[in-house]
Amino acid sequence: MAPPSVTSANVSANPLTYEDTHVHAIYEQIAPHFSSTRYKPWPVIAAFLSSLPTGWVGLDSGTGNGKYLPLPAENPSRVWTIGLDRSLNLLKIARNAGGVYREVVRADALDYPWRGGSFDYAISIATIHHLATHERRKQAIQRLLQAVSPSHGRILIYVWAVEQDNLSKREIPDGDDRHADEQPGKDVFVPWVLSSNSTVNHDRTAERVFNRYYHMFAKGELTQLVSGAAEEMGLHVGTKTENAGTRRGIIFKQDGWERSNYYVELHCWTS
């Protein structure tokens, strides 16, 4: 029997209800199995966390099993990252990530439970692509911008890409043609196969398949989303200039693609 395929999704319901059904409820059920497959940090993210000044405090929005909370691996106590996630079962794992008690918060990526500028840095890894509308994805970016220091905050964001590498097991369907004024990217269901503990000899009849919603980002879409979110907040997107007057802004320090993901690194500034 062939493994289940990625299929096109149509977000037709209330986005909150849609995400509850096709994202949050699924992660509560697959949390232990999902966590067992998520243990190796991605290089760009590890390098970002290693680059942070000593004593900084940050936010991991959508922390999952908390695999990034113990980093940087070479000096884990240099910075302190607080994890946020909707999944209670994943947070139960995250709070002991790396064998140390961690500070974790159960909340949604669109919630705002802290004072503005409370954090020195924030990461959002493979989270925003689970939000079912362009507007909600933009709001998630704005929550990150609000959470970090306006003068020195740094943000790293990762999302899954339509453009998959040759190591990926995912084949993204073409889907319907989009009009030019519609948002780029593709809405899809990505299956998670949960095997029963009693499964032997690759008996696939004992498996359950959960279809998780993803918005797969097209080339340039993440950059445009971040720029639009920042500009809507009155932030300047670009380098700081001496004659800018009193204003706030962000610059893109990195804008790349790694292993089937798009990512951006943002630095905040004030003048």
Side-chain angles (χ1 to χ4, degrees):
M1 184 185 299
S5 302
V6 176
T7 56
S8 296
N10 180 21
V11 182
S12 56
N14 179 297
L16 278 74
T17 304
Y18 194 86
E19 292 163 15
D20 282 343
T21 301
H22 298 293
V23 180
H24 304 308
I26 292 174
Y27 278 104
E28 291 292 14
Q29 295 182 75
I30 69 172
H33 187 216
F34 176 81
S35 178
S36 71
T37 69
R38 299 297 189 272
Y39 53 86
K40 186 176 181 180
W42 294 343
V44 171
I45 304 167
F48 171 82
L49 293 169
S50 293
S51 73
L52 299 171
T54 299
W56 273 22
V57 176
L59 168 67
D60 182 357
S61 180
T63 191
N65 69 347
K67 74 174 181 179
Y68 291 108
L69 300 183
L71 298 187
E74 70 277 8
N75 189 356
S77 62
R78 199 175 78 229
V79 300
W80 186 253
T81 308
I82 296 171
L84 175 150
D85 207 278
R86 265 286 297 268
S87 169
L88 180 60
N89 288 333
L90 283 172
L91 285 178
K92 290 177 180 178
I93 300 170
R95 68 182 176 185
N96 293 302
V100 175
Y101 183 79
R102 305 288 171 186
E103 293 185 64
V104 296
V105 177
R106 190 182 188 196
D108 191 271
L110 298 186
D111 291 338
Y112 194 45
W114 16 69
R115 295 191 305 273
S118 295
F119 297 102
D120 299 298
Y121 62 94
I123 62 174
S124 174
I125 311 302
T127 296
I128 291 173
H129 55 215
H130 283 309
L131 297 170
T133 66
H134 173 82
E135 187 63 28
R136 288 174 63 75
R137 294 187 285 271
K138 182 174 66 176
Q139 289 174 2
I141 302 287
Q142 291 172 337
R143 292 295 179 265
L144 296 172
L145 290 167
Q146 291 166 337
V148 301
S149 166
S151 61
H152 65 261
R154 300 182 192 177
I155 300 172
L156 183 67
I157 302 168
Y158 262 69
V159 294
W160 280 13
V162 170
E163 294 78 11
Q164 300 282 291
D165 65 19
N166 55 11
L167 298 177
S168 173
K169 299 177 182 179
R170 298 180 289 270
E171 188 170 327
I172 310 304
D174 290 336
D176 298 329
D177 292 336
R178 291 175 176 267
H179 298 293
D181 59 345
E182 291 184 348
Q183 296 301 322
K186 297 183 185 298
D187 293 330
V188 299
F189 287 131
V190 178
W192 184 273
V193 180
L194 184 65
S195 300
S196 167
N197 291 334
S198 62
T199 300
V200 292
N201 299 325
H202 303 287
D203 178 12
R204 306 203 67 173
T205 62
E207 296 174 343
R208 293 184 64 192
V209 178
F210 297 89
N211 285 310
R212 301 166 295 160
Y213 168 79
Y214 283 77
H215 177 78
M216 310 294 279
F217 277 68
K219 184 176 182 180
E221 183 181 0
L222 178 59
T223 306
Q224 293 174 5
L225 181 68
V226 170
S227 296
E231 290 169 350
E232 193 174 274
M233 294 173 62
L235 304 182
H236 175 75
V237 179
T239 56
K240 179 179 178 180
T241 58
E242 294 300 325
N243 59 354
T246 303
R247 65 188 311 182
R248 295 174 50 194
I250 61 166
I251 58 172
F252 287 87
K253 295 294 288 187
Q254 295 191 80
D255 181 359
W257 178 94
E258 180 194 30
R259 291 294 304 274
S260 306
N261 293 266
Y262 284 115
Y263 67 90
V264 293
E265 179 183 347
L266 314 173
H267 287 200
C268 300
W269 57 263
T270 57
S271 62

